């Protein structure tokens, strides 16, 4: 049975969302310096010790002890484990929460000891030392703030007698020798990701001059299905979020007015960033019906005042506090991050040069659930701050974003990070989706054809001014060309839209755009037969049916026929009630007979006699497939 101390080790792994295959162990002779750039950690490794790592954690010990720990049993000697991640990966939205988290990690004691502050060469933080009498084990857990706005959990474990006999001093020496740096991130190329498998759900594009003085800015929504777009001097444009149909234009309330961003507060009011040069109210608050409530924000260089043309971005927390930015002050702090209460009282003022001096053209969004604030810009890095303006993570996804011009950011309900880029974006893609740790997940977008000019085609972008993600996970963006053409588009990174995407193999005159039904494909399939089909946004799934017998084991194999990774096959097996009873997306390491890990293979014993349906579908991408249906012997 796994002992209680090892359950703590497992808990740390779960909290850090750390899953991966450990790299092979390797020994360091003579107490040499160990350095792992991928983890961003270096320390003095005792002679004869081995190390095993994965993408975010490290185990080290003498060979027998390392083997014991990895097997889930207690070591005889000292074992070391280090977990490195961002604050948000550990579930922290405030650096001040570290002592509480450390106490919560020790779930094996009825009354855990109080965390003690600690400062070592590698960082500052808190520690707990405790002994499990029934197991005869002593553990020291140290939670540190380290370089790059990251967190390290350093843990030493040994039999209590060994700990008291010298292992404690060895662990302390290890800890004191540790240095942390921002980890070297592997290059993630877009050609490793299917980027043409998304769809445009709807597009709003008013006729020229239909709305006087209309210029697209930031967008947001309320809980009643209304989308709000900051519309420059025109005020605020409202649309139906499900269809893109125009509802009304409200405002502009004060003069001068140039509304460039908008957020909805917990009071359902709209909080507007007013960038008009001579405005005495840089922040304007109105209700959903368009009634003026209040405003504040004079021009000037005093704390809480705004530079000309500021603010250009705004976010409201779950508690009703307002974050905004003022760049380009003539005196005092040049670039400032402000946090106000709902009535304009300044609570926090941060010198952004201390966060990232390269940040410019800054856009912000906050995670409503955690309170974390995200900052990006045309220059500088993706940075995450806590509710007091302290860095939680820096330089996220720098290996992907280097050299790009980011125009806006949105945090999705699943905590993923969405970025909008100015055309031509990254390899032509204008919208990127990242995990909360900065791993590139998906991309979408087609650069606007400036030579053609005129209206935007579905999927085309130029320089998005605003972006938001609905509660259902649907991203939307807004923008305006130099010629005054305004658009708002709703899209999905993966799946079908209602409009054919510009540049795709499905033209605007295809059967779906004309209103006719898309071809369903599929048909009957017999044991031993291989069929071929093609999937795209208009035909996302094809159905193949067969008669099965109870107890038969069917084997269904679906392969990307192009062999270039353009299609990620997905197989579903449905019973007579159209209920999915088995499914496979990636065959992974079980790939055989020319299959790739992303192909699909399903082996399943039929529960009853009757008709069954095979859905040849896709997790992403588009292209030809082959599907083979067999009965196992």
């Amino acid at each position: 049975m796994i002992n209680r101390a090892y359950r703590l080790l497992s808990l740390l792994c779960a909290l850090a969302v750390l899953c991966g295959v450990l790299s092979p162990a390797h020994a360091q002779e003579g107490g040499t310096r160990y350095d792992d750039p991928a983890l961003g950690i270096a320390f003095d490794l005792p002679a004869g010790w081995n190390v095993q790592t994965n993408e975010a954690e490290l185990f080290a010990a003498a060979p027998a002890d390392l083997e014991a720990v990895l097997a889930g049993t207690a070591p005889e000697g000292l074992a070391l484990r280090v977990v490195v991640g961002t604050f948000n990966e550990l579930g922290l939205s405030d650096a001040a929460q570290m002592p509480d988290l450390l106490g919560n990690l020790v779930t094996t004691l009825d009354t855990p000891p109080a965390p003690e502050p600690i400062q070592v060469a590698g960082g500052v933080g808190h520690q707990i030392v405790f002994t499990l009498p029934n197991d005869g084990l002593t553990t020291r857990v140290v939670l540190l703030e380290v370089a790059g706005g990251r967190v390290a959990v350093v843990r030493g474990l040994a039999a209590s007698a060994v700990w008291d006999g010298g292992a404690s001093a060895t662990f302390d020496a290890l800890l004191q020798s540790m240095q942390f740096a921002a980890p070297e991130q592997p290059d993630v190329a877009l050609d490793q990701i299917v980027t043409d498998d998304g769809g445009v759900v709807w597009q709003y594009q008013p006729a020229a001059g239909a709305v006087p003085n209309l210029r697209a800015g930031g967008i947001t929504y309320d809980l009643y299905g209304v989308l709000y777009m900051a519309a420059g001097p025109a005020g605020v444009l409202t649309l139906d979020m499900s269809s893109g149909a125009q509802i009304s234009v409200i405002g502009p309330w004060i003069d001068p007015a140039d509304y460039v961003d908008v957020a909805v507060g917990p009071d359902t009011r709209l909080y507007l960033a007013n960038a008009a040069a001579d405005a005495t109210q840089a922040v304007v608050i109105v209700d959903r019906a368009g009634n003026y409530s209040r405003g504040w924000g004079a021009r000037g260089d005093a704390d809480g005042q705004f530079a000309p043309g500021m603010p250009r971005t705004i976010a409201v927390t779950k508690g009703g506090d307002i974050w905004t930015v003022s760049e380009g002050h003539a005196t005092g702090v040049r670039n400032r991050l402000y946090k106000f209460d709902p009535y304009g009282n300044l609570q926090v003022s941060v010198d952004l040069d201390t966060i990232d001096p390269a940040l410019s053209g800054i856009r912000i969004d906050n995670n409503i659930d955690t309170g974390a604030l995200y900052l990006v810009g045309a220059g500088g890095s993706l940075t995450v701050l806590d509710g007091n303006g302290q860095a939680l993570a820096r330089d996220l996804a720098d290996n992907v974003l280097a050299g790009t011009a980011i125009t806006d950011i949105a945090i999705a309900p699943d905590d993923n990070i969405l970025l909008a880029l100015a055309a031509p974006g990254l390899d032509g893609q204008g919208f990127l989706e990242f995990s909360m740790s900065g791993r590139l997940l998906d991309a979408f977008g087609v650069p606007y054809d400036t030579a053609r000019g005129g209206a935007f085609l579905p999927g085309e972008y130029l320089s998005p001014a605003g972006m938001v993600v609905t509660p259902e996970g649907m991203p939307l963006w807004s923008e305006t060309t130099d010629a005054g053409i305004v658009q708002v588009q709703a899209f999905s990174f993966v799946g079908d839209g209602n409009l054919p995407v510009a540049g795709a193999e499905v033209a605007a005159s295809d059967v779906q755009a004309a209103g006719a039904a898309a071809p369903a494909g599929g048909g009957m399939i017999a044991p031993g037969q291989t069929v071929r089909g093609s999937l795209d946004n208009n035909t996302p799934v094809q159905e193949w049916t067969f008669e099965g017998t109870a107890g038969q084991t069917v084997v269904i194999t679906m392969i990307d026929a192009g062999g270039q990774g353009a299609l990620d096959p997905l197989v579903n097996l449905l019973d007579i009630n159209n209920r999915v009873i088995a499914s496979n997306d990636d065959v992974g390491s079980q790939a055989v007979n020319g299959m790739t890990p992303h192909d699909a293979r399903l082996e399943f014993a039929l529960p009853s006699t009757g008709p069954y349906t095979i859905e040849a579908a896709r997790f992403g991408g588009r292209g030809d497939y082959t599907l083979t249906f067999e009965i196992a012997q």
Side-chain angles (χ1 to χ4, degrees), residues 64-87:
D65 292 325
L66 182 59
E67 182 178 350
V69 168
L70 296 177
T73 59
E76 293 185 3
L78 175 65
L80 171 72
R81 182 168 186 252
V82 183
V83 174
V84 184
T86 62
F87 276 73

Side-chain angles (χ1 to χ4, degrees), residues 617-631:
R618 57 185 183 147
F619 183 79
R622 59 182 62 181
D624 295 341
Y625 70 87
T626 60
L627 185 141
T628 301
F629 171 55
E630 299 172 297
I631 304 295

Side-chain angles (χ1 to χ4, degrees), residues 16-379:
V17 198
L18 300 172
C19 298
V21 178
L22 292 172
S23 65
H26 54 279
Q28 298 284 331
E29 299 295 337
T32 59
R33 186 76 174 167
Y34 176 84
D35 189 1
D36 189 335
L39 279 177
I41 182 174
F43 60 94
D44 293 338
L45 189 68
W49 274 34
N50 286 0
V51 176
Q52 285 199 355
T53 64
N54 65 23
E55 63 180 15
E57 63 183 339
L58 173 150
F59 295 87
D65 292 325
L66 182 59
E67 182 178 350
V69 168
L70 296 177
T73 59
E76 293 185 3
L78 175 65
L80 171 72
R81 182 168 186 252
V82 183
V83 174
V84 184
T86 62
F87 276 73
N88 47 348
E89 285 175 303
L90 287 171
L92 293 170
S93 59
D94 190 328
Q97 295 173 331
M98 289 182 65
D100 293 335
L101 175 64
L102 187 56
N104 292 338
L105 292 178
V106 187
T107 60
T108 54
L109 297 177
D110 294 333
T111 306
E116 302 172 348
I118 184 175
Q119 180 170 354
V120 295
V124 296
H126 294 78
Q127 67 173 345
I128 287 178
V129 182
F130 61 95
T131 298
L132 301 177
N134 294 337
D135 296 316
L137 293 171
T138 297
T139 299
R140 181 178 174 189
V141 184
V142 183
L143 187 60
L144 297 172
E145 296 180 59
V146 298
R150 297 173 70 79
V151 180
V153 182
V154 184
R155 180 177 185 275
L157 169 70
S160 297
V162 174
W163 184 269
D164 296 337
S168 174
T170 301
F171 177 79
D172 191 64
L174 284 166
L175 184 63
Q176 295 293 342
S177 73
M178 286 183 180
Q179 294 289 343
F180 295 90
E184 292 183 1
Q185 298 185 19
D187 291 334
V188 179
L190 276 177
D191 58 15
Q192 298 174 283
I193 297 174
V194 178
T195 60
D196 61 352
D197 57 336
V200 174
V201 180
W202 56 256
Q203 180 184 26
Y204 165 82
Q205 200 163 187
V211 182
N213 300 318
L214 181 66
R215 187 173 66 248
I219 52 178
T220 190
Y221 61 86
D222 64 19
L223 298 179
Y224 307 98
V226 178
L227 185 73
Y228 301 89
M229 183 186 80
V236 172
L237 174 76
T238 65
L239 304 175
D240 183 293
M241 192 163 65
S242 63
S243 67
Q246 182 175 322
I247 299 174
S248 65
V249 178
I250 56 177
W253 303 286
I254 64 172
D255 184 28
D258 183 10
Y259 302 113
V260 295
D261 199 13
V262 58
V264 170
D267 55 2
T268 73
R269 286 180 167 82
L270 306 180
Y271 291 73
L272 298 161
N274 180 14
D278 299 324
T280 58
Q281 297 180 33
V283 177
V284 176
I285 299 97
V286 301
D287 66 23
R288 294 175 55 251
N291 300 304
Y292 174 85
S293 294
R294 58 189 180 275
W296 70 81
R299 302 293 171 198
D301 293 318
D303 218 11
Q305 294 182 332
F306 290 87
M310 293 288 150
R312 306 199 69 83
T313 185
I314 195 166
V316 183
T317 71
K318 183 163 55 177
D321 294 325
I322 298 97
W323 285 105
T324 189
V325 170
S326 183
E327 299 179 64
H329 284 271
T331 61
V333 175
R334 181 174 61 98
N335 297 326
R336 307 170 186 179
L337 173 68
Y338 289 145
K339 182 180 181 181
F340 297 95
D341 72 12
Y343 297 94
N345 299 303
L346 183 63
Q347 295 181 311
V348 176
S349 180
V350 178
D351 181 351
L352 284 171
D353 284 352
T354 66
I355 301 296
D356 183 352
L359 276 171
S360 64
I362 298 169
R363 301 288 295 181
I364 62 175
D365 196 16
N366 64 317
N367 187 314
I368 293 296
D369 293 328
T370 69
L373 183 72
Y374 293 73
L375 289 79
V376 293

Side-chain angles (χ1 to χ4, degrees), residues 556-571 583-602 617-620 624-627:
I556 305 164
T557 304
M558 183 179 176
I559 295 176
D560 171 18
Q564 303 299 314
L567 176 69
D568 187 352
L570 167 66
V571 168
S583 181
N584 181 256
D585 169 27
D586 292 337
V587 69
S589 61
Q590 304 302 314
V592 295
N593 300 329
M595 300 179 69
T596 71
H598 287 299
D599 291 330
R601 184 178 186 273
L602 187 63
R618 57 185 183 147
F619 183 79
D624 295 341
Y625 70 87
T626 60
L627 185 141

Side-chain angles (χ1 to χ4, degrees), residues 519-527 529-535 539-548 554 556-559 570-575 578 602 610-617 624-630:
M524 293 291 295
I525 189 170
Q529 185 178 2
T530 296
V531 295
R532 189 179 182 96
S534 184
L535 302 178
T539 309
V541 62
Q542 293 182 333
E543 296 182 347
W544 303 93
T545 59
F546 67 93
E547 290 289 329
V554 297
I556 305 164
T557 304
M558 183 179 176
I559 295 176
L570 167 66
V571 168
N572 296 318
L573 181 62
L574 284 65
D575 63 14
N578 210 36
L602 187 63
Y612 290 86
T613 300
I614 302 169
E615 283 188 345
D624 295 341
Y625 70 87
T626 60
L627 185 141
T628 301
F629 171 55
E630 299 172 297

